[in-house]
Amino acid sequence: MRTFRLVIACPDRVGIVAKVSGFLATYNGWINEASHYSDNQSGWFFMRYEIRADSLPFELDGFTQAFSPIAREFSMDWRVTDSAQPKRVVLMASRESHCLTDLLHRWHSDELDCEIPCVISNHQDLRSMVEWHGIPFFHVPVDPQDKSAAFAEVSRLVEAHAADAVVLARYMQILPPELCQRLAGRVINIHHSFLPSFVGAKPYHQASLRGVKLIGATCHYVTDELDAGPIIEQDVVRISHSNSIEDLVRLGRDVEKMVLARGLRYHLQDRVLVHDNKTVVFA
Amino acid sequence: MRTFRLVIACPDRVGIVAKVSGFLATYNGWINEASHYSDNQSGWFFMRYEIRADSLPFELDGFTQAFSPIAREFSMDWRVTDSAQPKRVVLMASRESHCLTDLLHRWHSDELDCEIPCVISNHQDLRSMVEWHGIPFFHVPVDPQDKSAAFAEVSRLVEAHAADAVVLARYMQILPPELCQRLAGRVINIHHSFLPSFVGAKPYHQASLRGVKLIGATCHYVTDELDAGPIIEQDVVRISHSNSIEDLVRLGRDVEKMVLARGLRYHLQDRVLVHDNKTVVFA
Amino acid sequence: MRTFRLVIACPDRVGIVAKVSGFLATYNGWINEASHYSDNQSGWFFMRYEIRADSLPFELDGFTQAFSPIAREFSMDWRVTDSAQPKRVVLMASRESHCLTDLLHRWHSDELDCEIPCVISNHQDLRSMVEWHGIPFFHVPVDPQDKSAAFAEVSRLVEAHAADAVVLARYMQILPPELCQRLAGRVINIHHSFLPSFVGAKPYHQASLRGVKLIGATCHYVTDELDAGPIIEQDVVRISHSNSIEDLVRLGRDVEKMVLARGLRYHLQDRVLVHDNKTVVFA
Amino acid sequence: MRTFRLVIACPDRVGIVAKVSGFLATYNGWINEASHYSDNQSGWFFMRYEIRADSLPFELDGFTQAFSPIAREFSMDWRVTDSAQPKRVVLMASRESHCLTDLLHRWHSDELDCEIPCVISNHQDLRSMVEWHGIPFFHVPVDPQDKSAAFAEVSRLVEAHAADAVVLARYMQILPPELCQRLAGRVINIHHSFLPSFVGAKPYHQASLRGVKLIGATCHYVTDELDAGPIIEQDVVRISHSNSIEDLVRLGRDVEKMVLARGLRYHLQDRVLVHDNKTVVFA
């Protein structure tokens, strides 16, 4: 069913829900799903409505025009999206296939509602698998001495494909700060540890060295501070002393791909609101 | 913070949220927490609002009077409760202490918002522990030949103590149908299996015999069909071939007490709505 | 590292470990991994050793010949396998791709140590995906009026490909009893419920109807009683009232594929011993 | 059933299992439970056997004398304990009752096999609850200006009660390095975070600030580096944006007490071996 997703963040006060739902009722809008959150600490209010598109008398433009006065009155940071206009997601990967294959399979099975205009990789390994899915594959090797040319090309491809979001599906390269800032809130990474533990390289080695009893993965928005952006989703799996680092890598793969898929799904359905380097996730 | 909890179930249609939140906004009511659920299958709508009591110009009576026309208009099944009037919960147990001790500890630590006017047991074992908490303990032995006298006494005690809810914290006796019906929606049981698996007696033995790899517990409202009432909460714990039945009983105790405590908490905060032998839980 | 896997079940008594490990020490065998289990209830003893192949002076034949007297002395049900001789696994699927794609990806990434001589399906949908992996795909349609021809062909293909194991990766057809018996202990199924709950067809619909708060999946050996064979592995995922049946199907897919992959891995590494319709899993 | 627990760590080589199990077989020892672990990285071998005491011809002394030559031959770090001689555990707490109550309830229900000679606290709040269990309660206030007198008294009490282990059940004071060293491997702490995340004070506040989606608890041996000792057990619970810090504290309590109880149980049953600041846990 086609829906409009109305997503709002604003300073909390009396009457917001009444005003917004009153607006919708005036136009006979049928609310399919409604989520609210009052953050007592920050004094902000967050909400997300899914409204049946066919119950409303207008398209996105009309909605935006009609709703704008309310948005101004309540100083809202807001957006409305149309489920019939799936986001365009560029996937980036390196050599490891598990996250990329998982996302492509979900997309291919109509489980992930998005378009995937292309996959970018610094290696050729995954080309055939990507192309089997009918998706263009761009090989952009990264010169360790000077990465700027590669990232200029990445940036160009992202723009050329009109990407709404970029997913680092174990891309294993750190994006330059300028790119992070330009794409703020639109780049999703999967880090193979339970952040904030084990930031940076080789987290499974770090975990093995520390002797933890669970390992995890973290899906987060990329900011220019490494592995420190707003967390969207996390999960863990139990390990024991008898697991080698190879075992951790293997067990971790399953957590990584599940966590990334869940996080991306939330993002695609406009369920994630970022505030103060944290997320509200209306799951 | 003192809140009113407005809980509503009604046939779904356009304008419910607008009407209810508009009503609240008219009286300057500050919504602290808002939950909604549209059940597309049954065509019913469920909602629960927590409103700051001090933001409203009336008490429960005034609220009820003012809101009744709306309730009628939308054919609502509804209630409003006051967080300052904790529910009165009679606990029933047999010999095993884990669930009862856990609930009493949570109550004693102000984690469970309720009054516990008394504990009823068919055995004396737990008297001293209960009385240490300053709670009256009633011993009502059950004659296996004729249980009617015992249940008459239980029924009398429940009424004499003006119980809003009864919790069977491993009571190990089946309540008579008449009592189940009279207290419908107010008796909460913890069953030591992941229902609908292993209904009835000795579920851990049944689980061991079947060779399952997880065992669980189920918190549900009691109806006159054994272990078949609306499920409020469930959880499981992993076991292996090496666990004896005694291990299952031990591991299961932790699941039972956690699941019961969560289920009861939901009930006490008016987060559970029953419809068609299923629950909506606004957790 | 190449290992021999020695797997033993026998009546329990003093001296088994001493005899077996003494045998290995005599030949300078280096034990890489050792698992034991004494079942006090049945009086049986189970063990599994992984021994470095290069530490032993013989191949499987020599091992078997040397060890046989001990096996006889202790009335052992036993086997020894060579990690360098991966099992041959025939996969069977219907239309749904998630389990099959997951297994093939794990195999393709060298995570599942087996050979996959072919995939058999009653539909054509997954042919291209299978063939991308370089694996032969056989389409064996099942005539609902008379399934015998189809199962004769399945049986022939399984034999022609010298399968050590058959995996029903959401095959959605019930194998005839004769085939179940002939392949006893070698056919692995994934059932999309937490058995013994929701045996048979449409378990997610059954789960939704009952209002459970967790759904699960079960990997088990197939016997001629439907969904009643020895359970190898199970897991669950939390759901809520707000999840539609389509959500359950989607969430369940992830549990199914994870549980099946773990169960199959245990089987491939000879970690599963069946006794009395239950499994010992040396995970 | 009374058992001897033989626990061994030594450099790995061929023939250890044969020698140890051969020794036991010679004396007709019935092995109830056997666990082994070869650490390929460090080259160490770890094992733990539970042997039925009534199957052996000697007591601990005789066992020790007979086994010593083998221990010397293999340079074993080893011990043998008698399940009939429960460890003596001194519990320390501050004001929060959840961990202490939980441990005392498990002890009182015969679930934790130990003696509890006394409880030490820097506050009086938990005296009555402890004394209801028939256990002496010592109030040792800690002067923030000079903590040495308090820790001298703690040290004296631990020795006077011949403690085998000390459990910091949310004691909230940092033990002086000298005490940590003297009681190395015998002091168990519960830290209310998923270490190594959120070391030190107010971990739930740190977790809320970072916006993590799971919180955890860690049971570890105390060393003189804060929250950096060998980890015995960990677990987590899911949280969301809607959980306040008070919610985290409440949800965390359940994880803390479960993790501490499991960790202590492993310790009491001699299931934990420490090596290189990590643990082998034969759960």
Side-chain angles (χ1 to χ4, degrees), chain A residues 197 208 213 234 278-279, chain D residues 197 208 213 234 238 278-279:
Chain A
S197 288
S208 177
K213 299 300 185 187
Q234 301 186 290
K278 295 162 62 171
T279 62
Chain D
S197 288
S208 176
K213 299 301 185 188
Q234 301 186 289
R238 188 162 285 273
K278 293 162 64 172
T279 61

Side-chain angles (χ1 to χ4, degrees), chain A residues 231-268:
Chain A
I231 294 170
I232 305 171
E233 174 64 344
Q234 301 186 290
D235 214 338
V236 295
V237 65
R238 186 162 287 273
I239 58 168
S240 86
H241 61 266
S242 70
N243 291 121
S244 65
I245 289 175
E246 291 70 39
D247 290 332
L248 303 200
V249 170
R250 173 176 55 82
L251 293 165
R253 281 199 292 257
D254 283 332
V255 187
E256 293 164 33
K257 69 191 190 195
M258 301 281 286
V259 166
L260 177 56
R262 286 204 296 263
L264 177 56
R265 181 182 180 83
Y266 295 148
H267 178 85
L268 294 177

Side-chain angles (χ1 to χ4, degrees), chain A residues 36-37 41 194-198 208-216 220 227-236 238 240-245 262 276-283, chain D residues 36-37 41 194-198 208-216 220 227-236 238 240-245 262 276-283:
Chain A
H36 304 82
Y37 171 55
Q41 223 170 350
F194 181 74
L195 290 175
S197 288
F198 313 132
S208 177
L209 200 65
R210 179 62 186 93
V212 291
K213 299 300 185 187
L214 303 164
I215 54 170
H220 64 95
D227 298 332
I231 294 170
I232 305 171
E233 174 64 344
Q234 301 186 290
D235 214 338
V236 295
R238 186 162 287 273
S240 86
H241 61 266
S242 70
N243 291 121
S244 65
I245 289 175
R262 286 204 296 263
D276 271 353
N277 206 44
K278 295 162 62 171
T279 62
V280 171
V281 179
F282 289 127
Chain D
H36 304 83
Y37 171 55
Q41 220 170 351
F194 182 70
L195 289 175
S197 288
F198 312 132
S208 176
L209 200 64
R210 180 62 185 94
V212 293
K213 299 301 185 188
L214 301 163
I215 54 169
H220 64 97
D227 298 331
I231 293 170
I232 306 171
E233 173 67 343
Q234 301 186 289
D235 215 338
V236 295
R238 188 162 285 273
S240 86
H241 61 267
S242 71
N243 292 121
S244 65
I245 290 176
R262 287 205 295 264
D276 272 354
N277 205 44
K278 293 162 64 172
T279 61
V280 171
V281 179
F282 289 127

